[in-house]
Amino acid sequence: MGIFDFIKGNKKAKSERTEKPSPEQKSFSEKAMEIVIPTFEQFGFQKHRIEIGKHSSTIIYRKGKQYLKISTNTYPRDYPYHYNIILGEGNSEDFFEYDWNSIALWRFKKEINPALKATEYKFPKDNGIEPSLKNANSELLKYGLTFLNGELELFHKIRKEQNKDREPYKIHSPDKNGNYQTSFEPKSVEQKKKYS
């Protein structure tokens, strides 16, 4: 069964497609559903939302306040193309929330074994999709096991370290006299306080 048949078969999960998926995003997402999603489900995470587009895909599974996300990016301006497995706690839908409440799996890897190279996964092509996703799944089980089991102490520690030196987003806009002023975006100020 293809991923689009899988999406149609689940009435509970949200699924949105606003553009025709590219063959590379479709192939990647179908393999992710075969290789990584069984691990999500093994630990009690349930399908929440799947979006497959021309240059990106998002697969989100939730368990209570926790969520797991597979996120891809092949936008030409964002080269090199990559994907991440993201672990989060809280709202997985609102950008200002999930940008501050989640961390990529590679940060767990870096925390647990600083000697290892830890970065986003290179977006694989054709025959490289399956080996790449099998490696990512293996690393999820190795480095993200505490999170999968609902033990969030390490997750909170890494998230706090990630956010402590980040500045809230800035807004550059004209005042009533047409002079541009820069200020912090209020919602990201709130998120920094909450997650740092």
Side-chain angles (χ1 to χ4, degrees), residues 89 96-97 99-103 155-169 187-196:
E89 178 189 35
F96 288 106
E97 177 78 16
D99 190 48
W100 289 86
N101 75 17
S102 64
I103 56 175
F155 169 79
H156 289 150
K157 177 182 186 264
I158 297 168
R159 184 177 65 186
K160 185 175 184 173
E161 288 172 6
Q162 171 185 274
N163 290 334
K164 73 177 181 181
D165 294 327
R166 283 180 69 185
E167 279 195 340
Y169 293 113
K187 195 163 186 181
S188 64
V189 169
E190 177 185 317
Q191 298 305 326
K192 179 170 176 62
K193 287 178 188 173
K194 186 174 181 180
Y195 296 118
S196 295

Side-chain angles (χ1 to χ4, degrees), residues 7-138:
I7 292 169
K8 286 185 228 171
N10 186 341
K11 303 288 186 212
K12 293 180 184 176
K14 294 180 186 176
S15 177
E16 301 169 19
R17 288 188 309 175
T18 56
E19 59 190 0
K20 184 177 179 183
S22 66
E24 65 186 357
Q25 290 292 338
K26 184 178 176 187
S27 294
F28 179 89
S29 297
E30 286 178 345
K31 280 294 177 191
M33 295 301 291
E34 289 175 25
I35 296 168
V36 182
I37 295 310
T39 299
F40 289 10
E41 292 173 338
Q42 175 187 343
F43 288 90
F45 288 82
Q46 297 179 346
K47 184 170 34 167
H48 178 67
R49 182 167 55 98
I50 299 173
E51 292 180 8
I52 298 115
K54 186 175 180 182
H55 297 294
S56 65
S57 297
T58 302
I59 300 171
I60 302 173
Y61 272 59
R62 295 190 62 88
K63 178 174 70 173
K65 292 183 178 182
Q66 290 177 261
Y67 64 89
L68 294 164
K69 181 191 297 190
I70 301 172
S71 178
T72 68
N73 183 342
T74 57
Y75 284 97
R77 292 187 195 113
D78 293 341
Y79 191 82
Y81 304 150
H82 63 275
Y83 73 96
N84 272 307
I85 296 179
I86 298 166
L87 303 86
E89 178 189 35
N91 188 343
S92 60
E93 301 295 320
D94 179 83
F95 171 78
F96 288 106
E97 177 78 16
Y98 72 71
D99 190 48
W100 289 86
N101 75 17
S102 64
I103 56 175
L105 177 61
W106 66 264
R107 289 192 181 272
F108 271 86
K109 182 178 178 181
K110 183 178 177 182
E111 178 72 23
I112 292 168
N113 194 339
L116 292 176
K117 180 182 178 188
T119 185
E120 307 170 312
Y121 296 103
K122 182 179 177 185
F123 189 85
K125 298 284 187 177
D126 305 321
N127 293 337
I129 294 173
E130 190 167 329
S132 179
L133 284 168
K134 283 182 176 179
N135 176 62
N137 190 58
S138 175

